[in-house]
Amino acid sequence: MTLTAARGRARQARKSRQARQATGWRPPATAYGLGLAAAGVAAAWTVHRLFPAVPLLTAAVVLGIVAAHLPGARGLVRGVCRAGLSFAGKRLMRLGIVLLGLKLSLDDVLGLGWATVAMVLGVVAATFCGTWWLGRRMGLRGDQPLLIATGYSICGASAIGAVSEVSDSDERDVATSVALVTLCGTLAIAVLPLLQHPLGLDDAAFGRWVGASVHDVGQVVATAQTAGPAALGDAVLVKLVRVALLAPLVAALATAVRVRARGARATGTEADGSEAEGTRATEPRAEGARATEPRAVGARAVGARAEGATRRRPPLVPLFVLGFLAMTALRSTGILATAALDAAATAQELLLAAALFGLGSAVHLPSLSRTGARVAALGLCAWVVIAGASYGGVLLTT
């Protein structure tokens, strides 16, 4: 009887397999990567529970980097799981940023006073412009100067993910920037408390300094809590003012990208392919295979690129930024219960952890080592700029 039942189950499994093959059913391309991201979040949560001083988001980034280089998991990360991990790094990041708006209330911002708000605006502007300019002068590749400047000046990895969506940045540039900002923010947890008394800061002033200079919200909490509840409260409020600047920054960059794309189409550099074809005409004959392609195929490729560029053009204000602002307005009404806010905060942290695990898995240390010295130098300079500017601002407003 048992043998008959086993044969029956085997026949049923065969039929089910044949039916799936006949209909072409297969798991979604992102399923494996999302499963790995979920496992990474669970591991990061375990690390955070065992070592509370390690923020969940920091642990998620580090574990993503480890997974990308671990012999057993490296093949999965670069192969079947890549699509899902990229999905987590982009789509889940957007959802996390939307929920981040629920941490900000207009009443809390106004309670800080206009002098403190003005100080935060000045610190963000000085850090963003100074870091971006210095990164370009140092010759960093791609969008790294922009992304690092955004991460240091606004809110770490979350800001980098938001800006990369409108700038269509390379995934390696995003991963490198996230790794650098996360490293410096983690170091701040240990370094800044040691400087409180030598710099002559009381608890409240120390909290404002931490909120204005440390990158990620979790890192701000971990750093400021060492000086007590007064420092922690001011640190979180100042930090959330910086978070609020994410929406106008992303909207401004989206506008810049649109203007640049319109200018490129007007000069014919991308839309009609004239410059691209001229460049191809001067390529060495070593790429003879490409030169022998039919002209019709080349024309279709140029048209496809132009159509793709038009389709990728970001909206003036991205939807996830509108969602962020909507959540902030909703929080400001005061109609949400504490339990709902707590649940949203938990969901936001888990979504960002999954996104950061996905971004961390895109870090390739051998490639990073080739530009690591310049990236590290820019990170150190940016850290000095934001710490110095915020310290000066706190002294002026105290």
Side-chain angles (χ1 to χ4, degrees):
M1 188 67 177
T2 304
L3 181 59
T4 303
R7 288 175 177 173
R9 284 196 296 269
R11 280 196 301 270
Q12 186 63 31
R14 256 196 324 271
K15 289 180 181 179
S16 178
R17 205 163 43 242
Q18 291 170 355
R20 287 197 301 269
Q21 292 172 353
T23 58
W25 183 90
R26 62 181 61 185
T30 58
Y32 301 107
L34 289 176
L36 182 58
V41 171
W45 180 84
T46 302
V47 171
H48 174 62
R49 294 287 293 180
L50 293 175
F51 307 98
V54 179
L56 173 65
L57 302 187
T58 300
V61 173
V62 173
L63 289 175
I65 297 174
V66 171
H69 297 83
L70 201 63
R74 184 171 51 199
L76 292 175
V77 168
R78 298 179 184 175
V80 69
C81 293
R82 187 67 259 157
L85 293 172
S86 297
F87 180 90
K90 294 181 179 180
R91 307 293 182 179
L92 298 188
M93 177 70 77
R94 293 180 185 179
L95 292 176
I97 291 169
V98 169
L99 293 179
L100 189 62
L102 289 175
K103 290 189 173 182
L104 183 65
S105 170
L106 295 179
D107 292 337
D108 292 336
V109 175
L110 295 177
L112 285 173
W114 292 110
T116 301
V117 173
M119 179 269 289
V120 174
L121 289 173
V123 169
V124 168
T127 305
F128 180 82
C129 296
T131 304
W132 193 5
W133 175 83
L134 184 59
R136 292 175 65 88
R137 290 296 299 268
M138 293 173 65
L140 293 186
R141 54 161 282 171
D143 287 335
Q144 285 181 358
L146 171 64
L147 298 175
I148 293 172
T150 302
Y152 272 83
S153 60
I154 304 292
C155 55
S158 302
I160 291 173
V163 168
S164 68
E165 291 295 326
V166 299
S167 62
D168 197 22
S169 301
D170 182 81
E171 190 176 22
R172 291 172 298 174
D173 291 344
V174 177
T176 299
S177 303
V178 167
L180 177 67
V181 171
T182 300
L183 173 63
C184 290
T186 303
L187 291 175
I189 299 173
V191 174
L192 264 59
L194 301 177
L195 300 177
Q196 176 184 357
H197 297 297
L199 293 178
L201 297 174
D202 60 23
D203 290 348
F206 176 72
R208 290 196 295 275
W209 183 47
V210 170
S213 60
V214 180
H215 318 313
D216 182 77
V217 176
Q219 294 164 347
V220 167
V221 172
T223 307
Q225 57 86 27
T226 60
L232 181 58
D234 280 5
V236 172
L237 287 179
V238 171
K239 177 60 187 175
L240 292 180
V241 174
R242 288 171 63 194
V243 172
L245 298 178
L246 178 62
L249 175 63
V250 172
L253 289 175
T255 302
V257 171
R258 287 169 64 94
V259 171
R260 186 171 57 189
R262 190 179 302 119
R265 289 197 302 275
T267 57
T269 56
E270 286 286 332
D272 63 6
S274 58
E275 182 178 331
E277 288 184 359
T279 304
R280 265 199 305 273
T282 61
E283 287 181 349
R285 296 300 299 173
E287 299 197 13
R290 189 182 306 172
T292 59
E293 290 180 349
R295 286 186 174 272
V297 175
R300 284 197 300 273
V302 170
R305 284 198 301 273
E307 182 182 355
T310 302
R311 194 181 299 124
R312 287 194 304 267
R313 186 176 63 183
L316 188 59
V317 181
L319 287 177
F320 68 91
V321 174
L322 293 177
F324 174 88
L325 295 175
M327 293 299 103
T328 300
L330 181 62
R331 169 67 187 271
S332 301
T333 63
I335 63 175
L336 293 178
T338 303
L341 292 174
D342 291 342
T346 301
Q348 174 251 324
E349 195 165 17
L350 293 177
L351 286 170
L352 289 182
L356 293 180
F357 181 87
L359 289 176
S361 69
V363 174
H364 188 235
L365 293 180
S367 299
L368 180 60
S369 63
R370 288 193 285 270
T371 57
R374 285 178 295 166
V375 171
L378 177 61
L380 179 61
C381 292
W383 198 9
V384 171
V385 168
I386 192 170
S390 57
Y391 177 66
V394 168
L395 293 182
L396 291 175
T397 55
T398 299

